Amino acid sequence: MPGLLPFAVLAKTGDRQKLLEQVAAKIDAIADRRTQNNVAASTAILAGLVLDKVLIKRLLRQEIMQESVIYQDIWEEALEKGLQQGLEEGLQQGLQQGLQQGLQQGLQQGLQQGLQQGVTEGEKTLIVRLLNRRLGSLPETVIGQINQLPLPALEELGEALLDFSEINDLRVWLVSNSPSISDN
């Protein structure tokens, strides 16, 4: 009975290798290819409980076992689990890398924007203080116009204010530089 051959490798014997050799010879003698494949695969599985896999592979031809429905079922299940695990790990790794990269880019961009805003606000504050000192207290409307200027225009105003002697000089400068304001 070929169906009992896989269990033979579990029998108590002094020489399991010799027993596996005998079982392998009987498996090779099975005429029906499908039965031969299934018995070889079943034998390999049970032999794996008591023998070394190198020996099992040497004595039981792997190409025969690979045709077995049992082997193919185990292979498909392992492949499915491997794919699932690979997808999960890949997704998790991708999310971690994406989050890390996004966080780094966000921090860098935020830092750059914060520095730019800090420089611009510092420039505005300094220019308003210098203009107040040079021309006296500025009207809120003029301060509002200055606060709308982009950094390059603020830098130009910082240089121009040294030439101002009265508030009208500032107003003329603001009107003549109004296109810079719309570039903001």
Side-chain angles (χ1 to χ4, degrees), residues 3-19:
L4 296 177
L5 285 173
F7 294 103
V9 295
L10 298 176
K12 289 190 178 187
T13 181
D15 191 355
R16 289 206 166 141
Q17 179 177 339
K18 184 169 178 98
L19 179 60

Side-chain angles (χ1 to χ4, degrees), residues 35-159:
T35 303
Q36 185 185 46
N37 295 340
N38 289 334
V39 172
S42 299
T43 302
I45 291 168
L46 291 177
L49 297 172
V50 292
L51 293 168
D52 181 54
K53 77 175 180 180
V54 175
L55 175 66
I56 297 167
K57 283 184 171 185
R58 185 171 50 87
L59 295 176
L60 297 173
R61 295 190 331 249
Q62 190 166 356
E63 67 276 357
I64 290 176
M65 290 186 293
Q66 289 175 349
E67 294 176 19
S68 161
V69 293
I70 296 166
Y71 179 92
Q72 290 174 4
D73 187 47
I74 292 169
W75 177 256
E76 286 173 14
E77 190 175 315
L79 186 61
E80 194 174 305
K81 284 182 181 178
L83 285 172
Q84 183 66 32
Q85 185 178 358
L87 284 172
E88 288 173 6
E89 288 177 8
L91 182 61
Q92 185 177 11
Q93 188 177 23
L95 284 172
Q96 286 175 344
Q97 287 176 346
L99 285 172
Q100 189 174 24
Q101 188 177 12
L103 183 60
Q104 285 176 338
Q105 286 177 346
L107 284 172
Q108 187 176 10
Q109 189 176 10
L111 199 69
Q112 287 174 341
Q113 287 176 348
L115 285 172
Q116 184 67 29
Q117 286 177 339
V119 167
T120 302
E121 290 303 314
E123 188 90 15
K124 288 177 188 177
T125 301
L126 178 62
I127 288 173
V128 168
R129 286 179 63 199
L130 289 173
L131 286 167
N132 276 330
R133 179 133 188 208
R134 184 152 187 93
L135 306 175
S137 185
L138 298 176
E140 287 298 317
T141 56
V142 172
I143 293 174
Q145 286 177 297
I146 294 170
N147 285 331
Q148 296 300 311
L149 293 173
L151 186 59
L154 287 170
E155 292 170 345
E156 290 176 27
L157 178 57
E159 291 177 16

